[in-house]
């Protein structure tokens, strides 16, 4: 029965949908719009449930083309900083570009757009948004078709911790965006990626400074020192971005916005399901119960995704000190 409910998701009006207008937002919640929203809202890409896989394939192909193109360019370079680790350097560049794109997308929707469903707790947690589905599908595709295969292909990235993290990102991001592409996805799939941009830059500069440190000439030593200064600056920016985005902002949105909304919706779902199914019997009651169960399950990916992103980012940021690449 649950499988049949998934198939008709978005096409059949469920009992829960009738409760969306009556669930009021928490008293302290204020509109987050910073600029006239209708302009930004219209600019965000969107897709229906039927276009999820097409968007995912497009995202994966975009990542693969970027990886193959930059890697081929770096391999032909005479600069050892680029050609010594062409695949790894290309991966860092594509990762930084994607994280920047996801951040801009998320901020545009989270801060500068208005959606009719966000006036109630149920709307924020359960009402699907086409732009969130598009972002989630793109993220799922770029992780599943570019990030994971690249980690297998590039020796430096072939680490169990990296692979497990990326498989978890693909699973939670894909399921959450397919079954629950709601308002909070703009934050968890987009805004929080802001801290990953300087982190990707830092990783690339760290690798470049290690390779440059193997040179013996005065020019190579000067270049190594310059790269190390840039690396240290990027590390400081990445640390500040992590503390603000992943610790302060992430905690604030998760514990003081998302979870209160989810807890406000759960009792209403249970009460609404009992009230609407009580007079019924047989298959009709089972169908309505399955609709309620499906909505309960839809909150799970967002809860899991919030914890996964916080833990995954902290693991990437705390890295052991490396002794290689010391300027002579």
């Amino acid at each position: 029965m649950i499988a049949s409910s998934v198939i008709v998701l978005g096409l059949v009006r469920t009992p829960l949908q009738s409760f969306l207008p009556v669930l009021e937002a928490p008293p302290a919640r204020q509109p987050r719009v910073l600029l006239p929203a209708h302009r930004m809202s219209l600019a965000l890409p969107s897709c229906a449930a039927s276009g999820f896989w097409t968007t995912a394939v497009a995202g994966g192909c975009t990542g693969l083309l970027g990886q193959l193109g930059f890697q081929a360019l770096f391999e032909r370079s005479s600069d050892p900083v680029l050609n010594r680790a062409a695949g790894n350097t290309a991966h860092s560049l594509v990762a930084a570009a994607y994280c920047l794109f996801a951040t801009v997308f998320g901020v545009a929707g989270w801060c500068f757009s208005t959606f009719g469903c966000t006036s109630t707790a149920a709307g924020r947690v359960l009402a699907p948004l086409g732009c969130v589905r598009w972002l989630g599908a793109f993220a799922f595709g770029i992780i599943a078709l570019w990030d994971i295969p690249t980690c297998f292909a590039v020796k430096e990235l072939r680490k169990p911790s990296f692979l497990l993290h990326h498989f978890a990102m693909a699973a939670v991001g894909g399921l959450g965006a397919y079954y629950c592409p709601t308002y909070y996805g703009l934050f968890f799939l987009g805004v929080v990626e802001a801290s990953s941009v300087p982190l990707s830059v830092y990783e690339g500069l760290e690798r470049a400074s290690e390779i440059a440190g193997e040179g013996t000439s005065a020019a190579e030593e000067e270049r190594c020192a310059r790269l190390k200064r840039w690396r240290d600056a990027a590390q400081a920016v990445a640390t500040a971005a992590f503390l603000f985005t992943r610790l302060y902002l992430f905690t604030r949105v998760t514990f003081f916005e998302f979870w209160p909304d989810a807890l406000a919706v759960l009792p209403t779902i249970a009460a609404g399901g009992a009230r609407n199914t009580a007079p019924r019997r047989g298959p009709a009651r089972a169908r309505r119960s399955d609709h309620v169960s499906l909505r309960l399950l839809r909150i799970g990916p967002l809860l899991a995704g919030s914890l996964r992103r916080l833990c995954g980012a902290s693991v990437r940021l705390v890295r052991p000190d490396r002794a290689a690449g010391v300027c002579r």
Side-chain angles (χ1 to χ4, degrees):
M1 287 296 182
I2 293 180
S4 63
S5 299
V6 173
I7 294 175
V8 299
L9 183 63
L11 301 178
V12 177
R13 180 175 179 82
T14 66
L16 175 64
Q17 290 174 302
S18 61
F19 300 124
L20 296 183
V22 302
L23 287 177
E24 298 298 331
R29 181 67 53 82
Q30 298 295 329
R32 192 177 277 105
V33 178
L34 304 180
L35 290 176
H38 57 280
R39 303 175 186 174
M40 300 295 292
S41 299
L42 294 176
L44 294 177
S46 178
C47 75
S50 59
F52 179 91
W53 295 109
T54 302
T55 306
V57 171
C61 291
T62 301
L64 281 176
L65 289 176
Q67 176 71 32
L68 295 175
F70 285 123
Q71 185 170 341
L73 182 65
F74 295 155
E75 287 175 347
R76 288 196 296 266
S77 174
S78 58
D79 189 347
V81 171
L82 296 177
N83 61 35
R84 281 276 301 277
N88 205 349
T89 303
H91 182 271
S92 295
L93 186 58
V94 175
Y98 164 71
C99 292
L100 181 61
F101 168 78
T103 300
V104 173
F105 192 107
V107 170
W110 184 255
C111 299
F112 301 111
S113 297
T114 54
F115 306 97
C117 63
T118 58
S119 60
T120 66
R124 289 188 294 270
V125 174
L126 297 174
L129 294 175
C131 61
V132 178
R133 183 183 288 112
W134 189 95
L135 178 60
F138 192 90
F140 173 78
I142 205 169
I143 294 170
L145 300 180
W146 161 71
D147 202 5
I148 294 176
T150 302
C151 286
F152 279 111
V154 178
K155 182 180 179 180
E156 296 85 351
L157 300 174
R158 205 179 302 149
K159 302 176 182 179
S161 58
F162 274 29
L163 292 171
L164 288 175
H165 176 64
H166 294 153
F167 273 111
M169 286 179 63
V172 177
L175 290 174
Y178 189 85
Y179 293 110
C180 193
T182 61
Y183 175 66
Y184 283 104
L186 290 169
F187 179 81
F188 292 119
L189 295 174
V191 177
V192 296
E193 293 295 345
S195 62
S196 298
V197 178
L199 181 59
S200 298
V201 174
Y202 160 72
E203 291 174 344
L205 289 173
E206 183 183 33
R207 183 170 50 254
S209 65
E210 290 177 358
I211 297 174
E214 299 175 1
T216 57
S217 65
E220 289 173 330
E221 290 181 359
E222 181 182 355
R223 184 187 190 188
C224 174
R226 184 171 61 253
L227 288 172
K228 282 185 174 294
R229 288 195 298 269
W230 292 351
R231 180 203 63 186
D232 293 342
Q235 185 178 31
V237 173
T239 302
F242 174 84
L243 293 175
F244 176 76
T245 305
R246 304 284 180 149
L247 292 184
Y248 166 70
L249 195 59
F250 188 99
T251 302
R252 181 175 179 270
V253 171
T254 300
F255 290 99
F256 297 98
E257 296 188 30
F258 172 63
W259 283 10
D261 281 349
L263 293 176
V265 169
L266 289 175
T268 308
I269 296 176
R275 182 170 64 252
N276 283 274
T277 58
R280 307 289 182 176
R281 64 180 66 183
R285 179 185 300 178
R287 286 195 298 271
R288 287 174 172 80
S289 298
D290 285 341
H291 286 310
V292 172
S293 301
L294 180 59
R295 291 308 188 272
L296 289 170
L297 291 173
R298 291 178 69 187
I299 299 177
L302 282 178
L303 291 170
S306 63
L307 295 176
R308 173 192 56 75
R309 286 192 171 274
L310 181 61
C311 297
S314 61
V315 168
R316 291 186 64 201
L317 188 65
V318 180
R319 301 172 62 89
D321 221 29
R322 299 185 180 180
V326 178
C327 298
R328 296 175 177 82

